[in-house]
Amino acid sequence: MPNTSHFPPLFISHGSPMTALEPREAGAFMQDLGRTLDAKFGRPRAILAISAHSLARQPVLLAGAKHHAVYDFGGFDPKLNTLRYDAPGATELAAQVQALAAQAGLPLLSLPQGGLDHGIWTPLRYMYPAADVPVLPLAFVPSQSPAQQFTLGEMLAPLAEQGVLIMGSGSITHNLRLVFGQGQPPAIDAPEIQASAEFRAWLQARAAAADWPALLDYRRQAPHAVAMHPTDEHLLPWFVPAGAGGRNSPAVRIHESLTFGSLAMDAYAFGPAALQLAQALQDPGAATL
């Protein structure tokens, strides 16, 4: 019988590809997140994944019957290229998403091909290591605004009530020049720079207040927004699960950590069930109540 739990849509910062080998605080959180979701909401019938590394000229579903890990990076530990994540596809969900898009008048293509970029398979290796949950990647349009991504999420909202985990993957801060632009990168546990701290604090406060007008206009209103996101493709996936969560619910930060002094690994939950998830993560015993 399919799971009909109301899953809170999520945004997860996936970090460097090395997160798959060096989990640190964020990897430990992802493991805990998978266990907590199972205990509190059950196993999702499918995962609809929106990653900063799957981009297209118009929204596209990768609706292949099977997936494999795509090694969309270079210059890292060769061991990364030996990691696998052979998850099943979600062809039935693809048809459902296309029907929702048609009702909303949003253009949406579906291609019978598989493949999970590292923004998807890295967190899922920790959350669901058996690779037994069907996955449907949704490539988004990086030139579209936060408001357009939010509208895309609103179209997907019914799925969250039908056992589908809507997961955005990107980075709360993402200026790689601060990490690699000076030759030798900072220490992975370097203290946080002020611009990163101020941007993260603003985002968390506006999210907790459900101040969607400010959040959708973050590039003008948030402190150091352009410095933290010279291009914003790594934050745009935040707005898709936000839209799926709805305008009437605050967003809840469910994890915060940092690497290299400015690459934040924060995660958020959205919608009416977000607070339940946050409480269950803080109190593991609550997940079984």
Side-chain angles (χ1 to χ4, degrees):
M1 185 174 181
N3 188 336
T4 56
S5 294
H6 188 156
F7 279 85
L10 302 176
F11 173 84
I12 296 174
S13 294
H14 60 255
S16 158
M18 287 300 294
T19 303
L21 291 176
E22 300 172 352
R24 296 181 58 81
E25 298 96 331
F29 157 73
M30 294 171 196
Q31 290 178 322
D32 189 27
L33 176 62
R35 291 190 293 263
T36 303
L37 287 169
D38 274 352
K40 188 71 177 176
F41 302 96
R43 186 58 57 102
R45 69 178 178 94
I47 298 166
L48 179 61
I50 305 97
S51 168
H53 295 279
S54 289
L55 311 174
R57 294 182 179 179
Q58 74 174 78
V60 177
L61 296 168
L62 299 183
K66 296 181 180 179
H67 291 297
H68 59 278
V70 175
Y71 310 112
D72 53 338
F73 44 76
F76 293 94
D77 190 326
K79 291 180 181 177
L80 285 170
N81 294 328
T82 69
L83 301 180
R84 301 184 65 87
Y85 197 79
D86 300 327
T91 54
E92 291 184 5
L93 178 60
Q96 188 177 359
V97 174
Q98 280 199 294
L100 289 172
Q103 292 172 11
L106 296 178
L108 181 65
L109 292 177
S110 182
L111 300 178
Q113 66 186 58
L116 305 176
D117 69 62
H118 80 273
I120 299 174
W121 65 259
T122 296
L124 291 185
R125 282 189 78 249
Y126 291 116
M127 294 169 63
Y128 301 110
D132 56 353
V133 181
V135 182
L136 178 64
L138 169 56
F140 71 96
V141 182
S143 60
Q144 291 183 344
S145 68
Q148 289 172 298
Q149 310 299 345
F150 194 92
T151 298
L152 176 62
E154 289 179 310
M155 179 267 288
L156 299 170
L159 300 175
E161 302 175 1
Q162 300 166 16
V164 176
L165 177 59
I166 299 170
M167 185 187 81
S169 175
S171 189
I172 286 296
T173 57
H174 193 262
N175 185 340
L176 295 185
R177 296 190 198 102
L178 296 174
V179 179
F180 301 110
Q182 306 301 317
Q184 185 70 21
I188 195 168
D189 58 351
E192 185 172 19
I193 66 173
Q194 183 175 352
S196 172
E198 292 181 1
F199 177 82
R200 293 168 73 205
W202 181 91
L203 186 71
Q204 191 275 333
R206 293 301 89 217
D211 187 353
W212 300 114
L215 289 161
L216 294 174
D217 192 32
Y218 89 94
R219 289 189 80 77
R220 290 197 310 136
Q221 298 195 32
H224 315 292
V226 176
M228 291 298 95
H229 289 280
T231 59
D232 64 351
E233 77 288 333
H234 268 74
L235 191 60
L236 289 175
W238 190 92
F239 295 97
V240 181
R247 295 178 182 269
N248 296 325
S249 298
V252 181
R253 185 165 63 181
I254 56 175
H255 174 73
E256 57 173 314
S257 62
L258 191 79
T259 55
F260 305 110
S262 64
L263 190 61
M265 299 295 295
D266 298 4
Y268 280 80
F270 305 90
L275 188 57
Q276 297 176 42
L277 175 60
Q279 292 171 341
L281 286 165
Q282 291 175 359
D283 179 7
T288 60
L289 298 180

